[in-house]
Amino acid sequence: MSFQWNDCNGSFHPDSAVDFLPEEQLRALQLQRLRATVMRAYDNVELMQKRMDDIGIKPDDLRSLDDIRRLPFTQKIDLRDTYPYGLFAVPMSEVVRLHASSGTTGKPIVVGYTHADMETWKNVIVRSLAATGLHRGDILQNAYGYGLFTGGLGLHYGAEALGAAVIPISGGNSDRQIMIMRDFGVTAISCTPSYFIHLIEHGASMGVDLKKLPLRVGVFGAEPWSEEMRCYIQREANIQAFDIYGLSEIIGPGVGIECRCQNGIHIFEDHFLFEILDAETGEPVPDGEEGELVLTTLSKQAMPIIRYRTHDITRVIPTRCDCGRSIRRIARISRRSDDMLIIRGVNVFPSQIEAALLKVEQTLPHYQIIVRRDRDMDDMEIRIEVTADVFSDRVSEIEKIAARLSHAVESTTGIRAKISLVEPHTIQRSEGKAKRVLDLRKLDAPKH
Ligand SMILES: [Zn+2]
């Protein structure tokens, strides 16, 4: 099979060659690595061995990639229950890095990396950034948080290995972010999409128009965001905005990324094996249908993870991408199964609401969904910022926009919501992941 490199204006990085591996070779590599991973987990992780023994399967029973379906799932709770090091497959003398997620309740989950794992991480970040068209000479402002969160340091070493000049600015201090972006001639930025939107506005308040800066690429992740949000970012900052996918339990950022075609996330399949399953039954869904993304690490040494239930809802895009990469794509994660709100018995996803809101003109991508319960009846209010000129218009204009928004939400979700239009900069900004949903029903519930 011939080698393909059709990436429009893309620069070549040698590490990206694996992205174009012929299908047959890729599957053979996956099987070989899967067998080694399962063996490592079985031999070194008590929980894995017990679970496999319970259902009577041995690592040697894996003869094809389809046999992965015989293996037990791993859930987030398994990481909590074995806190801190119970899923590690190597002695601590081999671990060179620890990260932890800031759990909302109780203890965090802990993940570890060997030297080889750090090399893998670097490799997938190099390939991620190369896929967006970044290369040696680019100046990357890494505004993901540095620290226990995997975002900042995760991106850092790969960006350096690519040959970009990395500014390890971390999150927060928006005045300084804008000053550095302008003065240092920054060409790329990485952070959450909601923080970047905040930076666009913050720049404007300082008299800095991001559209006029050399900035051309944004690498955004760590929270679900809609296509409408992407359009807004690309228009308001005159950049190309790419969705990077990852989670700490698997490696951190770099499980996959969009290429310059911006049509789905390529998963680095030589390191991560993915399945898309019916979230209820755990059975595979047909190609192209939505289901829960389940991931298995294929090269992780410190913490091999088998069949991790991500709760991210997506579908495989079965056709070959125009860029020529043979590694497959999944649709951008628009929602998580555990994000789902049940309002008056109807399933509603915040991302559906976001998409509906941003289709209406004069809205800004800052909103908050507030759910209350009043006399056993669920009540949804959406607060959304609109452009300042809306408030200078007549009251009837304001009412018209509110009506349009209400209609947009109702036709998408089937739920009638109270719409509150608020002035720009009213809703609290976040330096990391945005808090879009305030579900007050749990707080209101009577205590027994
Ligand atoms: Zn592609």
Side-chain angles (χ1 to χ4, degrees):
M1 191 181 235
S2 64
F3 182 81
Q4 297 187 46
W5 180 271
N6 303 331
D7 206 351
C8 22
N9 310 319
S11 54
F12 181 79
H13 191 282
D15 284 5
S16 298
V18 192
D19 298 354
F20 298 82
L21 215 56
E23 168 93 22
E24 216 170 288
Q25 272 183 41
L26 180 59
R27 301 295 160 231
L29 179 66
Q30 284 188 312
L31 179 59
Q32 182 201 343
R33 287 184 172 174
L34 175 66
R35 288 170 59 98
T37 298
V38 172
M39 187 81 80
R40 191 178 312 118
Y42 184 84
D43 288 347
N44 299 291
V45 182
E46 209 182 303
L47 181 76
M48 279 308 300
Q49 189 174 90
K50 183 180 178 307
R51 284 198 178 156
M52 286 176 60
D53 284 347
D54 283 351
I55 52 173
I57 181 168
K58 295 268 180 268
D60 275 343
D61 296 336
L62 287 171
R63 304 203 187 283
S64 74
L65 286 173
D66 285 344
D67 285 338
I68 193 170
R69 289 184 214 150
R70 300 171 61 190
L71 295 171
F73 291 117
T74 305
Q75 304 268 10
K76 188 168 216 153
I77 192 157
D78 297 325
L79 281 89
R80 292 217 179 95
D81 289 350
T82 56
Y83 173 87
Y85 304 139
L87 294 185
F88 282 21
V90 296
M92 199 46 81
S93 56
E94 310 232 339
V95 174
V96 299
R97 176 81 69 79
L98 294 165
H99 279 282
S101 79
S102 51
T104 43
T105 50
K107 298 271 206 280
I109 58 157
V110 180
V111 293
Y113 304 78
T114 64
H115 182 70
D117 293 335
M118 296 307 298
E119 289 299 309
T120 301
W121 204 1
K122 205 158 74 182
N123 172 269
V124 290
I125 294 295
V126 166
R127 290 158 65 188
S128 295
L129 299 180
T132 70
L134 291 178
H135 45 71
R136 179 178 295 271
D138 269 305
I139 302 172
L140 174 74
Q141 180 161 347
N142 189 12
Y144 274 121
Y146 278 65
L148 286 179
F149 170 56
T150 48
L153 282 164
L155 228 75
H156 182 100
Y157 293 96
E160 280 185 359
L162 179 78
V166 184
I167 306 168
I169 190 164
S170 195
N173 197 340
S174 304
D175 276 350
R176 194 178 52 173
Q177 299 271 1
I178 296 295
M179 178 189 76
I180 283 181
M181 194 187 295
R182 180 191 58 201
D183 296 352
F184 287 24
V186 166
T187 58
I189 186 164
S190 44
C191 57
T192 58
S194 51
Y195 187 53
F196 186 69
I197 286 171
H198 172 59
L199 287 178
I200 296 175
E201 291 175 347
H202 199 80
S205 74
M206 291 168 67
V208 178
D209 182 356
L210 268 54
K211 283 203 274 289
K212 299 196 173 123
L213 300 181
L215 191 69
R216 65 169 214 283
V217 166
V219 177
F220 303 121
E223 63 185 20
W225 48 307
S226 62
E227 195 58 36
E228 285 73 16
M229 185 78 93
R230 188 219 301 273
C231 293
Y232 178 87
I233 288 174
Q234 296 197 146
R235 188 178 67 233
E236 295 299 316
N238 191 26
I239 61 170
Q240 256 199 308
F242 296 94
D243 194 356
I244 187 165
Y245 178 71
L247 57 170
S248 304
E249 296 88 325
I250 297 301
I251 199 161
V255 174
I257 197 164
E258 292 177 314
C259 68
R260 290 165 62 97
C261 301
Q262 292 183 313
N263 187 15
I265 295 170
H266 286 283
I267 298 290
F268 295 112
E269 290 189 277
D270 50 321
H271 293 302
F272 314 106
L273 191 142
F274 74 87
E275 300 168 83
I276 296 179
L277 306 178
D278 182 312
E280 305 276 310
T281 65
E283 291 300 315
V285 298
D287 269 7
E289 276 184 30
E290 273 200 338
E292 180 182 345
L293 181 68
V294 172
L295 288 164
T296 297
T297 63
L298 293 177
S299 24
K300 282 269 290 296
Q301 307 288 312
M303 210 171 126
I305 297 280
I306 314 280
R307 303 194 87 196
Y308 187 71
R309 304 285 302 248
T310 66
H311 295 284
D312 288 327
I313 305 293
T314 185
R315 60 190 166 80
V316 69
I317 302 175
T319 51
R320 183 80 167 250
C321 185
D322 289 342
C323 73
R325 282 177 175 76
S326 55
I327 51 173
R328 287 177 301 163
R329 289 169 295 163
I330 57 169
R332 296 175 67 201
I333 312 291
S334 56
R335 56 202 174 92
R336 291 177 47 81
S337 59
D338 49 4
D339 273 350
M340 191 175 75
L341 289 162
I342 302 177
I343 297 171
R344 289 174 226 154
V346 179
N347 299 346
V348 179
F349 289 94
S351 55
Q352 283 179 301
I353 296 177
E354 173 179 303
L357 294 173
L358 298 187
K359 279 188 186 130
V360 176
E361 275 174 36
Q362 292 175 292
T363 56
L364 296 170
H366 296 287
Y367 62 92
Q368 198 165 36
I369 301 163
I370 303 154
V371 190
R372 297 189 184 85
R373 181 163 289 157
D374 185 24
R375 292 195 200 103
D376 286 335
M377 187 67 173
D378 294 334
D379 197 38
M380 177 164 72
E381 178 189 352
I382 298 169
R383 298 176 71 218
I384 178 159
E385 292 184 9
V386 287
T387 52
D389 55 307
V390 169
F391 292 98
S392 58
D393 284 335
R394 284 169 309 171
V395 175
S396 60
E397 283 302 311
I398 299 176
E399 283 170 355
K400 258 187 219 161
I401 293 176
R404 244 178 263 147
L405 286 165
S406 174
H407 176 74
V409 171
E410 193 176 350
S411 61
T412 312
T413 63
I415 299 277
R416 185 180 287 269
K418 178 179 175 230
I419 305 283
S420 308
L421 303 185
V422 297
E423 294 189 33
H425 306 288
T426 312
I427 293 170
Q428 202 189 343
R429 305 296 192 253
S430 150
E431 288 166 5
K433 303 184 191 198
K435 179 132 186 66
R436 308 247 192 235
V437 180
L438 218 57
D439 193 342
L440 303 173
R441 290 176 297 186
K442 290 159 197 151
L443 303 173
D444 294 343
K447 291 181 183 73
H448 294 288

